[in-house]
Amino acid sequence: MRTGWRVAEVIGVSQETRTARTLRLRLPGLTGHRAGQHVDVRLTAPDGYTAVRSYSVASALPGDELELTVEELDEGEVSPYLVHGVSVGDQLEVRGPVGGWFVWDPADPSPVQLIAGGSGVVPLMAMIRAHAAADPASPGATAEFRLLYSVRSPDAAYYGAELDELAGSDLLTVTYVYTREAPAGSPVPPGRLDARALSIAVLPVSANPAFFICGATAFVETVADWLVQAGYPADRIKTERYGGMGSTP
Amino acid sequence: MTDYLDGNAAAGPLSEFFAIDVTTARGRCLHCGRTDALATAQLYPNSHGLLLRCPGCTEILLRLVDTGDTVCLDLHGLSFVELHRD
């Protein structure tokens, strides 16, 4: 399942927010994947020009289907097509799912602290879904999960209803930080995450949590630095910065 | 701050060369000796491939050049690579 380009069929599309869409793909031969992995998507223009981008898998499905949530980027080469152009029945060239580093392992009993900046929530959602669906006998199935989700405004948040439902259980806590616009009646004004709010929201050093941080480069680096300064071991912090994979002539 | 990605995003391109996911392997920087998973390296994609730089000293660990017909891998910035069998 690791090498080479294969053809996936788009079998479902749903609007996630005003600027993001979730695509459900069927990839013949796929038998599940690890939570946190990504796929590379390659688009080829009629003149042979190709563009490749990496997208995190959002779902945690056991079979040959997976979901990607794609945020449209201004001046993007690939995301506008995936958000607006693709329809059910279309085919996409896909490589993966790949990546064995930024993944949650159900065999790991550690508590897990997830920290998302914007669309960086996508691979973390795969981990939350994998955790919710884990075999109850696996050591990680009863591990405490926390998500700290920094997002511009309530209507820019992905997976709202599903996160609300999952956060009703004992195993997941979700904390939102709204950077530009808070929900009506919120006691907390909108503003960027700071070191103090971070330290209140995340699992304590004594819990020795496994951290997964995903977002834009500046967000990821700032948050990881704060955590190290607060005494969390650097080798417990895994990061994924998002961006393009370049294009080939 | 120069914008770069994490080495784990190189898993796809490197899968053309390696039968396992080499981004989880630990590599030692030839220049400074830092040893860590390649997934933690700084990834700089460009129009014809990618560079992985050491997160410690920013020297080049690995270069991949893709011309379409051929793809070339230069590993000379790594003095060893260590795999863990699961």
Side-chain angles (χ1 to χ4, degrees):
Chain A
M1 291 302 98
R2 279 184 303 264
T3 58
W5 294 98
R6 294 184 295 157
V7 174
E9 185 185 352
V10 178
I11 59 170
V13 297
S14 60
Q15 203 71 29
E16 205 63 62
T17 68
R18 196 173 51 79
T19 54
R21 198 162 70 152
T22 293
L23 306 179
R24 182 175 278 228
L25 308 180
R26 177 176 294 130
L27 202 49
L30 179 70
T31 51
H33 60 88
R34 302 178 71 187
Q37 288 191 303
H38 62 274
V39 297
D40 297 338
V41 175
R42 179 166 70 182
L43 300 185
T44 304
D47 65 359
Y49 174 84
T50 62
V52 178
R53 295 292 184 275
S54 296
Y55 294 101
S56 291
V57 179
S59 55
L61 300 165
D64 64 355
E65 296 179 9
L66 54 80
E67 290 181 348
L68 312 178
T69 303
V70 179
E71 179 82 26
E72 183 181 9
L73 302 178
D74 293 340
E75 299 174 35
E77 284 189 320
V78 175
S79 61
Y81 175 69
L82 297 180
V83 173
H84 301 292
V86 166
S87 310
V88 170
D90 286 351
Q91 295 186 326
L92 291 174
E93 269 193 300
V94 168
R95 181 168 58 195
V98 288
W101 177 255
F102 193 82
V103 295
W104 176 68
D105 180 358
D108 184 346
S110 300
V112 174
Q113 179 68 57
L114 308 170
I115 305 177
S119 59
V121 74
V122 175
L124 310 184
M125 191 63 189
M127 296 180 192
I128 288 169
R129 287 167 164 163
H131 179 239
D135 178 345
S138 60
T142 52
E144 182 177 0
F145 263 52
R146 285 194 194 177
L147 169 65
L148 176 59
Y149 186 3
S150 170
V151 64
R152 196 171 63 246
S153 60
D155 63 3
Y158 295 177
Y159 318 125
E162 187 178 351
L163 281 173
D164 284 349
E165 190 176 323
L166 289 168
S169 79
D170 294 340
L171 292 178
L172 176 68
T173 306
V174 180
T175 305
Y176 289 91
V177 174
Y178 296 101
T179 59
R180 304 259 183 86
E181 180 194 325
S186 169
V188 184
R192 285 179 181 272
L193 181 64
D194 58 31
R196 186 170 168 276
L198 177 73
S199 69
I200 292 168
V202 298
L203 287 157
V205 174
S206 59
N208 192 24
F211 283 92
F212 295 92
I213 309 173
C214 186
T217 298
F219 176 86
V220 165
E221 295 198 346
T222 303
V223 170
D225 287 348
W226 283 336
L227 291 172
V228 171
Q229 285 162 19
Y232 295 92
D235 65 2
R236 296 290 280 163
I237 301 170
K238 290 186 174 176
T239 61
E240 184 159 88
R241 296 154 178 84
Y242 56 56
M245 273 299 297
S247 52
T248 52
Chain B
M1 188 185 309
T2 310
D3 218 20
Y4 57 87
L5 303 176
D6 299 274
N8 41 313
L14 291 171
S15 71
E16 292 201 63
F17 284 93
F18 297 96
I20 49 82
D21 174 23
V22 78
T23 64
T24 63
R26 285 160 58 83
R28 184 168 70 192
C29 175
L30 180 71
H31 307 276
C32 74
R34 181 186 168 113
T35 305
D36 212 335
L38 294 181
T40 68
Q42 299 173 353
L43 169 65
Y44 292 84
N46 57 40
S47 61
H48 50 272
L50 60 87
L51 290 179
L52 284 185
R53 289 183 178 274
C54 176
C57 71
T58 74
E59 288 287 343
I60 295 172
L61 299 173
L62 176 157
R63 286 191 306 154
L64 185 147
V65 180
D66 188 340
T67 66
D69 294 332
T70 62
V71 55
C72 178
L73 188 62
D74 173 356
L75 293 165
H76 96 274
L78 286 163
S79 55
F80 76 72
V81 175
E82 172 191 81
L83 280 176
H84 274 276
R85 297 194 185 94
D86 288 326

